[in-house]
Amino acid sequence: MPRVDTQSVAYKGFAIMAFIVVILAGIKAASPIVVPFVLSAFIAVICNPVIGGMTRFKVPRSLAVLLLMVFIVMLGLWLAQIVGSSINEFSNQLPHYRDQLVEQFGWIVQKLQRLNIIITKEQILDYFDPGIALSMTTNMLTGVGGVMANLFLIILTVVFMLFESQTLPRKLHFALDDPEMRMQQIDKFLHSVNQYMVIKTLVSLATGVIVGFGLAIIGVDYALLWGVIAFLFNYIPNIGSIIAAIPSVLLAFIQLGPAAAGATALLYFGTNMVMGNVVEPRYMGKGLGLSTLVVFLSLIFWGWLLGSVGMLLSVPLTMIVKIALESSQGGSWLAILLADDVDDVKPDDNDNEKEDVSQIV
């Protein structure tokens, strides 16, 4: 057997780790520029199928891009005005809500005493500060709003990306020395990223609409704000739905009592069960799953690297990395480690029987 030079392997590993650290440090230092670019890329990926659909109806591509950007800007300004005022009003009411929630703890203390569990409200507050739970999501939305202050730069970047989207696959083939378009990994990667982002956005949008209408029916204040939060946090599977539900359930408990809080919790649970376990797998399949540990670690990592936007886009960013690893021969072993199950990265023998999502994306 040929002898392995362990010293050279160690040096190579050390060099790769140093290379990664330098790249991450550079990204973090340049986050004011990187974050708007990343956000623009995701918006462009989501908008590209809409532009493609409009061009199929003989609409010129430049006109389609212009119409879609005008619609997005108008919708964004309307949402920013309503959600921004809701955040400001809710932030001003936080001390009042906190005091009310502390008073509601008396009901919990009485119930526990009936079970011979002696605990005081002060002891509960020592382990659980409701002010932190209520302000966590609003702080994250404030961070996202700070990034959206560069709206003109983001929209301009999205426009240029949409114009370049038609030639990007061909450029990648030529850049990777494949002018005859024989490398299917590139096309598979681009199609998978596009498919994942579009389906995830549609499912998240449906989740936000259902949650917003449901909370409005129950009578919880700031239903539109909680619907927007449910839409954004649905990009984070498992953990995101829990984070999005906490402030709504607490506010329902403060405002309307335990019954409304239970109804709110059931609304979130039922919506995420149907969307996450029925609708999303039907169109996306099981080949894009991430383990719960990877979801949690990616939330921490991307949040540290890119701030609030990184937390919201942590799973899509990790999914892009996973799809890229699956599309390469040397990175498939790492894709297996990121997956929820080994079967999630194995080719499915029943691909022909899966739902055809090409019409969506």
Side-chain angles (χ1 to χ4, degrees):
M1 295 180 62
R3 183 178 178 181
V4 178
D5 190 348
T6 57
Q7 188 175 9
S8 63
V9 172
Y11 279 133
K12 183 178 179 181
F14 179 78
I16 293 174
M17 292 178 61
F19 181 68
I20 294 174
V21 169
V22 170
I23 291 178
L24 294 180
I27 293 175
K28 187 170 179 61
S31 58
I33 300 175
V34 174
V35 170
F37 176 78
V38 171
L39 194 59
S40 301
F42 277 98
I43 295 175
V45 169
I46 295 169
C47 293
N48 190 52
V50 180
I51 300 297
M54 295 175 70
T55 55
R56 284 195 291 268
F57 285 98
K58 307 301 181 181
V59 178
R61 189 173 186 84
S62 57
L63 179 61
V65 172
L66 177 62
L67 292 176
L68 184 60
M69 289 301 102
V70 170
F71 173 76
I72 291 177
V73 169
M74 298 299 294
L75 180 63
L77 292 176
W78 176 71
L79 280 177
Q81 180 182 3
I82 296 178
V83 174
S85 61
S86 299
I87 291 176
N88 292 332
E89 185 178 350
F90 180 72
S91 299
N92 294 331
Q93 292 292 327
L94 268 180
H96 175 66
Y97 286 141
R98 185 183 186 280
D99 294 337
Q100 283 187 310
L101 187 57
V102 170
E103 292 299 324
Q104 290 284 3
F105 279 151
W107 175 82
I108 298 177
V109 170
Q110 292 177 358
K111 292 293 184 182
L112 293 176
Q113 287 177 349
R114 294 179 183 177
L115 300 174
N116 294 325
I117 301 175
I118 308 301
I119 190 172
T120 63
K121 290 187 291 184
E122 289 74 16
Q123 290 175 318
I124 295 178
L125 288 177
D126 288 339
Y127 294 99
F128 174 68
D129 186 357
I132 296 177
L134 288 171
S135 61
M136 177 177 56
T137 51
T138 56
N139 290 338
M140 182 173 292
L141 280 182
T142 302
V144 176
V147 176
M148 293 304 294
N150 300 319
L151 182 62
F152 178 75
L153 175 62
I154 293 175
I155 293 298
L156 196 61
T157 307
V158 171
V159 170
F160 284 115
M161 286 181 175
L162 289 175
F163 280 122
E164 290 286 332
S165 61
Q166 284 184 312
T167 59
L168 179 61
R170 186 173 181 85
K171 287 181 178 179
L172 285 177
H173 279 283
F174 274 90
L176 298 177
D177 195 20
D178 181 37
E180 297 182 4
M181 311 296 181
R182 291 177 296 184
M183 292 175 56
Q184 297 180 357
Q185 291 90 344
I186 301 175
D187 300 324
K188 178 183 177 182
F189 168 71
L190 295 175
H191 175 73
S192 298
V193 171
N194 186 73
Q195 174 181 316
Y196 171 78
M197 286 304 304
V198 171
I199 295 177
K200 192 66 178 179
T201 299
L202 292 176
V203 172
S204 300
L205 182 62
T207 301
V209 170
I210 294 173
V211 167
F213 274 108
L215 292 178
I217 294 173
I218 295 174
V220 181
D221 291 339
Y222 313 111
L224 178 61
L225 174 62
W226 309 130
V228 172
I229 291 176
F231 162 72
L232 293 175
F233 280 71
N234 194 66
Y235 283 100
I236 308 173
N238 304 325
I239 303 173
S241 59
I242 298 175
I243 298 175
I246 289 176
S248 303
V249 173
L250 289 177
L251 184 59
F253 182 65
I254 295 169
Q255 180 188 348
L256 303 172
T264 302
L266 286 176
L267 172 66
Y268 276 91
F269 178 77
T271 302
N272 285 282
M273 282 292 294
V274 173
M275 290 296 174
N277 297 323
V278 178
V279 177
E280 190 171 310
R282 175 180 176 83
Y283 293 102
M284 194 177 293
K286 297 182 179 180
L288 297 175
L290 291 173
S291 70
T292 306
L293 176 61
V294 171
V295 170
F296 180 72
L297 294 179
S298 66
L299 184 68
I300 298 174
F301 173 75
W302 292 109
W304 165 79
L305 190 63
L306 301 176
S308 300
V309 174
M311 295 182 70
L312 293 176
L313 298 179
S314 59
V315 171
L317 288 169
T318 307
M319 280 304 313
I320 290 177
V321 174
K322 178 173 177 287
I323 293 170
L325 292 172
E326 289 177 350
S327 301
S328 64
Q329 296 179 352
S332 58
W333 65 273
L334 188 54
I336 295 175
L337 296 179
L338 294 177
D340 188 26
D341 191 1
V342 177
D343 294 334
D344 290 341
V345 291
K346 288 182 178 180
D348 195 344
D349 295 334
N350 299 322
D351 285 340
N352 296 328
E353 299 178 3
K354 287 186 176 182
E355 184 75 22
D356 185 13
V357 299
S358 59
Q359 298 299 325
I360 299 178
V361 298

